[in-house]
Amino acid sequence: MRARALAGEAVIEVMDTGPGVPAEERESIFNLFFRGRTKSDRGIKGSGLGLAIARELVEAHGGQIAVVGGGQGGHFRVTCAPFGACTGDAA
């Protein structure tokens, strides 16, 4: 996990050493009940809710979450306006 300020935004990145997210699944990965092929093939149990909930939480606070491709393993990036501005208030 890494957190930093970049171009006026707070950026949080979470990376792991798992199988990653195939390019063809990156558009669907945040959909409710979506379970990637890799998880199904390996018998990994899950409901397909985790990343959908993460997206809703991040967006409710004015941020964005995305899959970052190109490396090995999973890599997710959350961007949000710095601290106090990232509240979700429609002031």
Side-chain angles (χ1 to χ4, degrees):
M1 189 158 110
R2 174 173 52 201
R4 60 194 165 123
L6 181 66
E9 294 184 312
V11 178
I12 301 167
E13 294 181 284
V14 178
M15 297 142 293
D16 66 29
T17 57
V21 180
E24 65 272 11
E25 294 182 359
R26 290 187 186 144
E27 291 293 320
S28 304
I29 197 85
F30 296 102
N31 293 344
L32 280 172
F33 304 113
F34 179 82
R35 294 187 64 226
R37 232 178 351 130
T38 304
K39 283 188 176 185
S40 301
D41 293 345
R42 292 184 179 192
I44 298 172
K45 296 185 187 235
S47 61
L49 292 174
L51 289 173
I53 292 170
R55 180 187 64 192
E56 291 297 321
L57 180 64
V58 168
E59 289 178 356
H61 290 279
Q64 295 179 326
I65 186 170
V67 177
V68 179
Q72 185 167 6
H75 185 169
F76 298 89
R77 180 178 295 140
V78 174
T79 56
C80 195
F83 309 109
C86 192
T87 63
D89 293 338

